[in-house]
Amino acid sequence: MPVYQPDHVEYAIESGRIQVARDDGQLQPAYWAHPSTGGVFPGIVLAHDWWGLTDTERHLANLFAQSGYYVIAPDLFDGQVATTPQAAYALVEQLGNGYPLVDSALRVLEQHHRCNRCVAAVGFGLGGTLALQAAMSRSDLEAAVSFYGFPQRFLGSLAQAQAPILAVYGSAEPHVPPDLLAQFRAELADAPLAHEWLTIDGAVRDFFSPSDDPAAVEHARLAWTGTLAFLDRYLDAPSRPPKAAL
């Protein structure tokens, strides 16, 4: 998991389960985390991978909140969590098009009185693909971070992306073929927006899964610091927390 960053702002936070109002009027379960101090903050919608909304995503939501972000992590699978690839695939098939759930969470953040209307989409695998879709679809999105997303259906149209994208992959990425990664990276480099690419040497996927292995800890640190640096460039994050009253 990511390690403490002594050179970055850190807030006390509040977190818990909530219900997000979807565009169709239904309620979507989600996890949220945000600084407990007053004021307004930039927002992040955190989209999980095909395993479901796990402790890893909740911990990451907390870390983003500690760094000064208002975070909503929609539960795309309504509380279901997979432990095998077969079960995960079944959940993805059951979900169908998950983008409207992410889009609804982005809309809620944009309108929230504690959000400064600077909003990003961040996702992993399945969620990384949804973050890419948000960057292609929403003109009011400030940034998107896609961890090992599947870019295939966006290739050939990335010049039309409406928000800067940070794409993060391990050098041993197992599911997106190298030729497609090369095309994806080239199209981002040629696009008019200042997209960025981060390769984590020696990593595969699931950078933020709990591990005591020093190499895995370093992979998480590199991914985390790169992500914070990117988001801080595009979202209007406060430089430091307000001083507590004595």
Side-chain angles (χ1 to χ4, degrees):
M1 292 298 294
V3 295
Y4 169 64
Q5 299 295 312
D7 56 346
H8 200 279
V9 63
E10 184 174 19
Y11 290 85
I13 68 167
E14 297 177 10
S15 63
R17 293 183 175 87
I18 60 169
Q19 298 283 328
V20 174
R22 301 186 332 208
D23 291 338
D24 62 4
Q26 300 298 310
L27 294 178
Q28 183 68 31
Y31 182 85
W32 77 346
H34 58 85
S36 56
T37 185
V40 295
F41 297 89
I44 291 174
V45 168
L46 189 68
H48 61 72
D49 202 351
W50 70 340
W51 304 111
L53 182 61
T54 68
D55 287 344
T56 297
E57 286 81 21
R58 284 186 282 270
H59 185 59
L60 284 168
N62 292 345
L63 288 172
F64 276 123
Q66 289 171 3
S67 298
Y69 292 98
Y70 217 91
V71 186
I72 294 178
D75 188 344
L76 306 178
F77 299 156
D78 289 320
Q80 299 180 84
V81 176
T83 58
T84 67
Q86 294 79 9
Y89 182 79
L91 288 176
V92 173
E93 289 291 297
Q94 176 181 312
L95 173 67
N97 179 16
Y99 180 70
L101 305 182
V102 171
D103 194 62
S104 292
L106 287 166
R107 177 183 51 77
V108 167
L109 269 183
E110 284 278 358
Q111 299 173 357
H112 198 281
H113 70 282
R114 292 288 308 280
C115 182
N116 64 7
R117 303 184 69 85
C118 292
V119 175
V122 179
F124 307 88
L126 166 68
T129 307
L130 298 175
L132 289 175
Q133 187 169 352
M136 300 296 296
S137 305
R138 292 189 64 107
S139 61
D140 57 354
L141 195 72
E142 269 64 48
V145 182
S146 176
F147 287 92
Y148 39 89
F150 296 91
Q152 286 87 329
R153 61 194 171 102
F154 308 111
L155 296 177
S157 60
L158 287 161
Q160 283 74 55
Q162 301 191 66
I165 296 166
L166 171 63
V168 187
Y169 290 89
S171 62
E173 163 60 37
H175 298 309
V176 183
D179 59 329
L180 291 183
L181 285 179
Q183 182 181 350
F184 183 24
R185 186 171 187 175
E187 288 192 23
L188 290 179
D190 290 341
L193 295 181
H195 304 303
E196 299 183 28
W197 189 276
L198 177 59
T199 300
I200 308 298
D201 288 336
V204 183
R205 287 191 161 212
D206 301 323
F207 309 140
F208 301 118
S209 295
S211 176
D212 294 326
D213 178 67
V217 171
E218 178 64 7
H219 296 159
R221 187 191 68 80
L222 291 171
W224 181 247
T225 55
T227 299
L228 283 185
F230 177 79
L231 292 174
D232 285 351
R233 277 194 289 278
Y234 291 104
L235 275 69
D236 187 17
S239 59
R240 61 182 64 84
K243 293 181 180 179
L246 298 177

